[in-house]
Amino acid sequence: MTNVYVHGVGMTQFGTFVDRTMKDLLLDACIQALNEAGNPKVDAVYVGNFMGGSIYNQEILGAIVANELGLGFIPTAKVEGACASGGIAVRQGVLGIQSGEYETVLVAGVEKMKHASTADVTQAINAAMDNDSNEKRAGLTFPGFFGVLANRYFFETGASKKHLAMVALKNRENAIQNPLAQFRKPATLEEIMEARMITNPLGLYDCSPMTDGAAAIVLSSKKSPVHVRSSAQSSGPTQMQDADDLLSIPAIRESGRLAYKKAGVGPEDIDVVEIHDCFSMTEMLAIEELGFFSKREGWKAIEEGRTKVTGDKPVNTSGGLLSRGHPIGATGISQLYQLVHQLRGTAPNQVAGNPRLALAQNLGGTGSYSVVHILERV
Amino acid sequence: MKIFACTSCDYHSVTSKYTCPKCQQGKLQEKEVSTKGTVYSFTDIHVAPAEFAHIAPYTVALIELDEASVKVTARMDSEVAIGDAVDLKGLEEGAFIYTKAN
Ligand SMILES: [Zn+2]
């Protein structure tokens, strides 16, 4: 099979940019990535985006990129997979190159959220749930799902709200070192635990924020020092009441299993990780589902500091969704941005020992989609 | 309560599916079971979407039915804890409303 390599990455500052348009952010990230790649001839463009249509009245993002950058009349598409839009867009680029159709693909992700009211954004995000269900009509929300999950996790394990706070604190400490992160103000464990309740037991710091931002990556079959060792995707239950085991997110587990199988490696081989921590609880569960720690024991690994930059399995050295920020369509690509820098040895919170294998996991909905990419320094 | 049971394996669900997602062979058939159940987990929703803001904070629970291995998402009429015995109080705009059983 054709190998796929990373030739360039780009990322805007994540945060609140009332004076920047979605197009401005999107093109900024694309130009950074293309410059780093040496401005190659691009054969196709994929753009990950979730709510451009619903809250910004802007679609045709793929064609806009090709037109504004003067890439020619090449094929383009927008990819939607809720919060996994960016990761799925990258996967489309990988598949397009592996099929032999394209040599070089530009993949970007963008979201513009901060211009809208929280109520409007919440409403738009709810599009990532099955709205034609008794569950939605009962008033379940996104953070509500992870609140229900967290209470059961606490019930079955020794974990408590303090462990969720430890995840949030770790990711904040990492973001402080990341100049592109949205939240770089120090926080304390007490502050995090005492913050305003959103959906019991999740407080404000346990939930990812609304963010403006964009990220981009140039992929090619031509060789480079960063190899996309595998790309895998799965789906899962779209309703909480359909879950066979509430404390498992099958899409994460299955996409991880497939990615390891394709790469011929196991969780023990991975040196650095970016995980989809839309909520602190999600990170605690994902580190179990991806096989880094045993089921029902992720909280112990967090307590022991094993997922810190200095731990044996560093997770979210960028600050994660919780503190780097979560511009929905850009998130999956911003994870790869951090990991490419980790493999090059140029990342904020660079992990020790010249990491060789890096894993990114990007989740959509409450477990509707999950994408895993494993990158390798070659 | 109406639930759906697979014709060829032990899969049960409160929602119907075209094909059984567990064995991918059987079809799902309607079955009537008691509405009584136990709270499997819950959350209190303090920050609600616009359509539910007027009743916030409210409690949503995942309820394990007593007579089938089926879980149902419902809104509670009061706060609950895991393990509480509950029963259906009624339907409200397509939502199951549950209450603590005595
Ligand atoms: Zn079956």
Side-chain angles (χ1 to χ4, degrees):
Chain A
M1 197 192 292
T2 310
N3 284 336
V4 178
Y5 299 90
V6 178
H7 283 249
V9 287
M11 178 173 157
T12 67
Q13 176 76 49
F14 279 11
T16 304
F17 302 107
V18 282
D19 54 346
R20 294 189 71 178
T21 64
M22 182 158 72
K23 182 164 88 175
D24 175 27
L25 292 167
L26 178 59
L27 296 179
D28 181 351
C30 287
I31 290 167
Q32 287 182 43
L34 287 169
N35 276 333
E36 214 181 77
N39 294 299
K41 181 188 168 297
V42 173
D43 301 313
V45 174
Y46 290 99
V47 179
N49 176 255
F50 177 55
M51 48 175 67
S54 59
I55 64 164
Y56 201 74
N57 197 34
Q58 182 64 68
E59 297 283 9
I60 64 159
L61 297 173
I64 287 173
V65 167
N67 184 65
E68 297 297 301
L69 298 179
L71 300 178
F73 301 149
I74 56 171
T76 71
K78 181 195 87 169
V79 177
E80 186 281 314
C83 306
S85 298
I88 298 175
V90 170
R91 183 168 155 75
Q92 295 313 304
V94 169
L95 295 175
I97 293 169
Q98 284 176 340
S99 76
E101 181 78 6
Y102 309 127
E103 183 179 74
T104 300
V105 176
L106 170 64
V107 186
V110 66
E111 213 70 59
K112 184 82 178 137
M113 303 167 75
K114 298 296 286 187
H115 64 288
S117 71
T118 304
D120 286 346
V121 172
T122 307
Q123 188 72 21
I125 290 175
N126 272 356
M129 297 178 71
D130 182 350
N131 289 326
D132 184 8
S133 67
N134 65 288
E135 182 163 298
K136 172 66 195 333
R137 293 180 198 111
L140 186 69
T141 62
F142 243 88
F145 171 87
F146 287 99
V148 174
L149 204 152
N151 277 326
R152 185 71 197 186
Y153 190 90
F154 292 177
F155 182 78
E156 290 197 20
T157 68
S160 68
K161 190 167 162 61
K162 191 179 99 190
H163 296 93
L164 296 180
M166 286 174 158
V167 172
L169 180 64
K170 167 185 72 72
N171 291 350
R172 175 59 60 93
E173 284 171 348
N174 290 348
I176 289 168
Q177 306 301 324
N178 181 357
L180 299 180
Q182 182 171 9
F183 295 124
R184 303 185 64 204
K185 194 170 138 263
T188 65
L189 201 66
E190 294 66 39
E191 249 178 278
I192 294 171
M193 287 181 70
E194 285 158 20
R196 183 164 64 96
M197 195 63 91
I198 304 294
T199 52
N200 160 27
L202 306 180
L204 187 63
Y205 287 85
D206 293 303
C207 305
S208 53
M210 287 161 54
T211 310
D212 297 334
I217 187 165
V218 176
L219 302 170
S220 176
S221 54
K222 289 183 189 164
K223 210 163 177 309
S224 89
V226 178
H227 174 212
V228 181
R229 177 102 173 224
S230 71
S231 170
Q233 186 185 344
S234 299
S235 58
T238 54
Q239 294 185 41
M240 178 171 77
Q241 61 197 0
D242 281 339
D244 191 33
D245 169 9
L246 183 66
L247 300 188
S248 175
I249 297 182
I252 301 180
R253 172 164 289 252
E254 183 64 8
S255 57
R257 188 187 67 79
L258 289 169
Y260 292 135
K261 193 176 157 208
K262 289 179 187 197
V265 302
E268 65 283 2
D269 300 313
I270 304 296
D271 300 312
V272 58
V273 184
E274 288 287 314
I275 264 177
H276 194 95
D277 56 327
C278 48
F279 299 94
S280 51
M281 185 62 229
T282 326
E283 176 167 325
M284 199 134 79
L285 209 64
I287 57 175
E288 298 177 1
E289 295 290 57
L290 293 168
F292 299 131
F293 305 104
S294 306
K295 285 291 289 177
R296 316 282 196 265
E297 292 189 357
W299 63 281
K300 288 186 188 166
I302 287 156
E303 195 173 79
E304 291 160 3
R306 297 180 64 184
T307 57
K308 289 185 173 181
V309 174
T310 50
D312 61 315
K313 201 60 77 177
V315 173
N316 287 332
T317 61
S318 66
L321 281 62
L322 290 175
S323 279
R324 178 193 61 227
H326 183 28
I328 298 179
T331 285
I333 301 170
S334 67
Q335 294 178 321
L336 297 177
Y337 179 92
Q338 176 71 6
L339 293 180
V340 166
H341 280 284
Q342 283 286 359
L343 297 180
R344 288 175 180 166
T346 55
N349 300 303
Q350 180 64 44
V351 302
N354 302 317
R356 188 177 68 86
L357 285 171
L359 181 147
Q361 181 266 323
N362 187 199
L363 187 72
T366 53
S368 300
Y369 305 97
S370 177
V371 193
V372 170
H373 284 100
I374 296 177
L375 303 181
E376 178 188 23
R377 178 170 49 78
V378 291
Chain B
M1 177 175 289
K2 186 171 74 179
I3 63 154
F4 300 88
C6 178
T7 50
S8 65
C9 78
D10 63 353
Y11 181 81
H12 287 72
S13 174
V14 72
T15 57
S16 182
K17 303 276 183 284
Y18 176 63
T19 304
C20 170
K22 189 171 176 186
C23 66
Q24 283 160 358
Q25 286 169 3
K27 292 284 172 189
L28 298 187
Q29 242 171 22
E30 272 187 44
K31 190 175 157 183
E32 200 60 34
V33 297
S34 161
T35 54
K36 285 191 168 60
T38 307
V39 173
Y40 184 78
S41 193
F42 69 96
T43 188
D44 305 311
I45 297 187
H46 295 263
V47 177
E51 56 190 310
F52 295 104
H54 63 289
I55 56 165
Y58 57 91
T59 301
V60 172
L62 187 60
I63 291 154
E64 200 165 28
L65 295 185
D66 289 345
E67 288 187 4
S69 60
V70 165
K71 294 193 190 84
V72 181
T73 302
R75 188 158 73 239
M76 299 302 311
D77 67 352
S78 67
E79 287 186 7
V80 287
I82 291 174
D84 281 354
V86 292
D87 199 356
L88 184 69
K89 188 178 172 188
L91 281 166
E92 207 178 287
E93 291 175 27
F96 294 111
I97 308 298
Y98 263 72
T99 189
K100 274 200 229 184
N102 296 311

